[in-house]
């Protein structure tokens, strides 16, 4: 996890896909970036899911937030056995996050393992979480610019052998973490 933190801090890219109950070791890691894996199971009673052959344990994302990752998505996506994510209300300095995909209003995050194991689930006011729910999010970690990008005052650049300005130092890209509350969709 320390190696991943260092990688992201230098502009690295990380894709995380976690099914319910699979991310206990990485929960604190992701929470440091403002993303919480809720360790719930999303139930979706959207009739579109039934038409597509999906059961209630397969939430449907039929609309996506405006982001380069999802800009060409035009059809619904099924996320079999997915958990919900939440984004922090405030983020550490230099970190931002936005949701990529969410379930519809007919969905909820089931918190009862007993109901899930019995196969007889229903929305329980006060403990289950009503949708829409975040299925996927992207975190951007700002990487500070490198020093020495240009020479502002180059007074000795009188001869033709010396360039008037130093070339720009390539700047690092921001780090990115894309988090999905499901792996089966891939």
């Amino acid at each position: 996890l320390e190696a991943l933190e260092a990688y992201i801090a230098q502009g690295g890219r990380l894709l995380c896909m976690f099914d319910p109950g699979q991310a206990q070791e990485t929960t604190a890691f992701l929470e440091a970036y403002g993303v919480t894996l809720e360790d719930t199971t999303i139930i979706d009673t959207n009739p579109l899911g039934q038409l597509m052959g999906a059961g209630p344990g397969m939430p449907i994302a039929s609309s996506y937030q405006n982001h380069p990752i999802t800009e060409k998505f035009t059809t619904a996506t099924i996320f079999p056995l997915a958990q919900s994510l939440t984004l922090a209300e405030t983020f550490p300095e230099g970190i931002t996050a936005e949701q990529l995909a969410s379930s519809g209003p007919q969905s909820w995050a089931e918190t009862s393992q007993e109901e899930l194991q019995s196969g007889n689930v229903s929305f329980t006011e006060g403990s289950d979480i009503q949708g829409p729910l975040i299925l996927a999010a992207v975190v951007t970690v700002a990487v500070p610019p490198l020093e020495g990008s240009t020479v502002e005052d180059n007074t000795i650049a009188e001869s033709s052998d010396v360039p008037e300005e130093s070339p720009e130092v390539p700047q690092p890209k921001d780090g990115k973490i894309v988090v999905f509350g499901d792996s089966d969709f891939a």
Side-chain angles (χ1 to χ4, degrees):
L1 294 177
E2 289 175 9
L4 290 174
E5 285 177 14
Y7 174 68
I8 293 163
Q10 296 172 20
R13 309 293 207 240
L14 180 63
L15 173 63
C16 301
M17 298 183 293
F18 297 110
D19 292 325
Q22 290 189 332
Q24 287 79 20
E25 303 83 28
T26 56
T27 300
F29 172 79
L30 290 172
E31 285 177 350
Y33 294 100
V35 177
T36 301
L37 299 168
E38 292 299 331
D39 197 24
T40 58
T41 299
I42 299 176
I43 305 297
D44 193 345
T45 58
N46 183 342
L48 177 61
Q50 306 297 323
L51 292 172
M52 295 175 71
M58 299 180 176
I60 306 256
S62 56
S63 64
Y64 305 92
Q65 285 60 37
N66 186 20
H67 191 275
I69 292 174
T70 56
E71 71 185 350
K72 295 187 183 196
F73 286 17
T74 57
T75 59
T77 306
I78 298 174
F79 290 85
L81 195 62
Q83 66 180 309
S84 60
L85 313 173
T86 55
L87 301 179
E89 291 183 22
T90 59
F91 292 90
E93 186 176 336
I95 296 177
T96 58
E98 46 193 317
Q99 60 182 327
L100 294 174
S102 57
S103 64
Q106 305 92 340
S107 66
W108 74 88
E110 181 60 54
T111 58
S112 170
Q113 289 300 315
E114 293 80 28
E115 283 186 38
L116 290 167
Q117 289 174 355
S118 74
N120 188 18
V121 294
S122 61
F123 180 76
T124 306
E125 189 77 38
S127 63
D128 293 338
I129 305 160
Q130 184 64 52
L133 303 160
I134 300 172
L135 292 161
V138 61
V139 176
T140 302
V141 180
V143 175
L146 296 174
E147 291 186 29
S149 59
T150 60
V151 175
E152 298 286 306
D153 182 24
N154 193 350
T155 56
I156 61 166
E158 296 297 323
S159 97
S160 61
D161 333 359
V162 179
E164 288 186 31
E165 272 189 36
S166 298
E168 283 196 24
V169 173
Q171 296 300 308
K173 294 183 178 185
D174 291 338
K176 299 276 186 191
I177 306 171
V178 178
V179 183
F180 285 89
D182 180 39
S183 66
D184 302 317
F185 80 95

